[in-house]
Amino acid sequence: LTWVVGKHNFKMGADFVRNAAIDGFAVNRGNPRGAMTYTGDIGVTDPFADFIMGLPPTSVTYINAPRPAMDVYNWEQGFFFQDDWKVTPRLTLNLGLRYELITPFIENHDLLVNFDPNFVDPTTGLKGRFIVPSDKTVPFLDTRIPQQRPVVLASQSGLDIGRGLVRTDKNNFAPRIGFALRLSEKSVLRGGYGFYFPTSAAQGIRDPIATNPFNQGLTKR
């Protein structure tokens, strides 16, 4: 919307962007197809011969429950107001303010895990706990995670987080100021300054909370 009032040219508006991404990197993490290792210790001394004879391998490595591809979405919302103020016939000031609200990524299958290092178990004094969006996450976790620290739902954590397991940044105010000064009939001097915030990227959550807690290999000998 543009509104001209005397020496002021007011501009205001908003935009709404929905980002969505499917990323298969986490699917391939930790050799989800499994591996068998023969060293020749079971039968004859040749590892390949043990394999051909159908003897058990020396060790097997596998994934407890391979996770599907990361399937996420989030919203980027921006609101702005600007005044192009013609102070004099030679000088124009550009005064503006933008507000950005970028929501955390939501995983459609709730396959995210975050870690709360500030939590202290009142019974054991042990620090730290894992936080998951819902019960749908638990079957895909490495089985050793619940043995190391408690696992709680985001809704039960008492923290200001939702299914994205990250607090929403709500203070992204971006002021802008600029000017245009006509020096002569053929020359104009322009300048400006402002704050800008980068947009979000799904890779920012992929490795730390959508990949590392999943597809951890288990080895049996």
Side-chain angles (χ1 to χ4, degrees):
L1 175 65
T2 300
W3 183 25
V4 179
V5 181
K7 296 182 178 181
H8 298 272
N9 187 353
F10 299 112
K11 298 177 181 179
M12 59 205 78
D15 64 348
F16 304 91
V17 179
R18 185 182 189 273
N19 299 306
I22 296 179
D23 191 331
F25 176 80
V27 177
N28 300 314
R29 179 65 182 265
N31 195 5
R33 295 183 178 182
M36 297 184 295
T37 302
Y38 290 84
T39 61
D41 300 333
I42 305 300
V44 296
T45 56
D46 186 88
F48 188 67
D50 285 357
F51 170 70
I52 294 296
M53 294 171 63
L55 296 176
T58 305
S59 66
V60 293
T61 301
Y62 62 97
I63 300 300
N64 183 53
R67 65 154 293 158
M70 185 184 74
D71 184 3
V72 295
Y73 71 91
N74 85 322
W75 285 90
E76 297 177 11
Q77 304 162 70
F79 308 87
F80 76 93
F81 177 85
Q82 179 171 315
D83 178 14
D84 295 331
W85 176 22
K86 196 172 184 62
V87 182
T88 70
R90 299 170 58 90
L91 175 64
T92 300
L93 294 181
N94 313 113
L95 308 173
L97 178 66
R98 183 177 176 89
Y99 176 66
E100 302 274 2
L101 182 62
I102 301 175
T103 66
F105 276 94
I106 301 296
E107 217 281 338
N108 285 312
H109 306 289
D110 286 344
L111 297 185
L112 300 173
V113 182
N114 210 339
F115 186 72
D116 176 14
N118 298 317
F119 174 78
V120 178
D121 191 315
T123 58
T124 64
L126 194 65
K127 291 185 176 182
R129 61 179 174 175
F130 292 97
I131 303 178
V132 298
S134 71
D135 290 329
K136 293 189 295 183
T137 317
V138 178
F140 291 90
L141 287 179
D142 183 88
T143 55
R144 292 161 290 188
I145 286 181
Q147 300 172 4
Q148 300 297 323
R149 294 293 190 278
V151 177
V152 299
L153 303 184
S155 59
Q156 301 170 342
S157 66
L159 302 176
D160 184 22
I161 57 176
R163 288 175 62 197
L165 305 184
V166 179
R167 291 192 182 99
T168 302
D169 188 358
K170 300 178 180 179
N171 61 352
N172 289 346
F173 291 93
R176 285 92 186 270
I177 183 171
F179 72 92
L181 176 62
R182 180 162 55 87
L183 301 178
S184 66
E185 294 300 325
K186 295 184 178 181
S187 300
V188 177
L189 178 64
R190 302 180 186 273
Y193 182 82
F195 286 89
Y196 298 86
F197 295 93
T199 57
S200 54
Q203 290 89 339
I205 68 160
R206 185 189 69 185
D207 294 341
I209 65 177
T211 299
N212 292 338
F214 304 96
N215 286 19
Q216 293 295 328
L218 297 168
T219 300
K220 301 291 185 181
R221 301 187 185 278

